[in-house]
Amino acid sequence: MDDDGYADVVESDEAPDSHGESFDKRVVWGGPDGSKSVTKLHTDGDSATGIGDFDGDGALDLLTVAKPSFTQSADGPQPATVLYGPLSRDDGVPRTTLTLDVGYEGWASVKYTAVGDFDVDGNQDILASKQVIVGEAGGDRAVAVYGSSHGPGRGEDRPGDIGNLKLGLRNVTVCDINGDSYDDIAIQSSNDGPVSQALGGQDGLSTIDR
């Protein structure tokens, strides 16, 4: 996270406060002798949900997402913040930040995310598990928010809908299934069921193949 060539660990723990549920975030810094120091990130109390290079500059960034609302009347934004790296090892301050609405004005409530470059444009994309809460039948769907040099999203009205998720993104693996250099996703549709897939490509992810 500080671009020193050593892997770091980001921790996100739930910590209730006077405003409800919040999350404490820390970076455990790697080094030649292992993890020796920890820095608390002084950001809003949102959960850290993904790490990737969201603006294609070669440095890793941290994605945080606010807790979703599951009420049928929810029509406000669900903020997500990208903390652009490198992060300062002294105080955890990012190079800059970007806040976006991953709920697309109440269209969805995002619960889990995964990160990959599904169209291999050099910018990491966000795969989100969302519960539809406005104008559609309920249930978990997989949607893709594609990255650009300006960060996640390309000004679209809605993210790309990839298909139904029975178990959410907790059962999704990002990998290159067919060796074509595009990130794909493998999905376990039930606890003992078959594995489905959606393949990456020049135009992004295909729909989920059952």
Side-chain angles (χ1 to χ4, degrees):
M1 298 305 300
D2 57 353
D3 207 23
D4 65 352
Y6 296 98
D8 310 308
V9 177
V10 178
E11 300 177 332
S12 182
D13 294 333
E14 189 172 348
D17 60 16
S18 59
H19 302 288
E21 294 179 342
S22 182
F23 291 86
D24 287 336
K25 296 178 287 296
R26 299 174 297 278
V27 179
V28 182
W29 303 106
D33 300 318
S35 300
K36 294 293 186 180
S37 61
V38 178
T39 300
K40 183 176 180 179
L41 299 180
H42 298 281
T43 62
D44 291 338
D46 301 335
S47 176
T49 61
I51 294 175
D53 182 5
F54 295 110
D55 58 356
D57 68 348
L60 289 177
D61 314 309
L62 177 63
L63 174 70
T64 68
V65 179
K67 183 181 178 182
S69 171
F70 298 109
T71 64
Q72 293 293 329
S73 61
D75 59 1
Q78 183 184 355
T81 301
V82 180
L83 310 179
Y84 286 109
L87 304 184
S88 167
R89 187 180 275 254
D90 295 329
D91 52 17
V93 173
R95 175 174 53 85
T96 187
T97 63
L98 171 70
T99 299
L100 62 151
D101 174 19
V102 292
Y104 286 78
E105 298 181 345
W107 177 70
S109 279
V110 171
K111 296 189 291 183
Y112 305 102
T113 63
V115 174
D117 190 359
F118 305 115
D119 53 4
V120 189
D121 64 353
N123 304 299
Q124 296 286 293
D125 312 310
I126 301 171
L127 179 70
S129 170
K130 56 93 173 177
Q131 183 182 60
V132 177
I133 56 177
V134 175
E136 300 179 30
D140 285 350
R141 305 286 296 182
V143 296
V145 180
Y146 292 103
S148 70
S149 60
H150 302 292
R154 298 173 179 170
E156 64 276 357
D157 292 331
R158 295 285 185 268
D161 193 325
I162 308 305
N164 184 57
L165 287 173
K166 292 184 179 180
L167 296 180
L169 286 184
R170 289 170 292 183
N171 291 73
V172 169
T173 299
V174 177
C175 56
D176 183 3
I177 294 173
N178 56 358
D180 63 355
S181 299
Y182 291 90
D183 281 340
D184 313 306
I185 59 172
I187 310 107
Q188 185 177 2
S189 57
S190 63
N191 289 327
D192 56 356
V195 174
S196 304
Q197 64 184 21
L199 300 179
Q202 185 175 357
D203 296 325
L205 285 168
S206 65
T207 55
I208 295 174
D209 179 10
R210 298 295 179 186

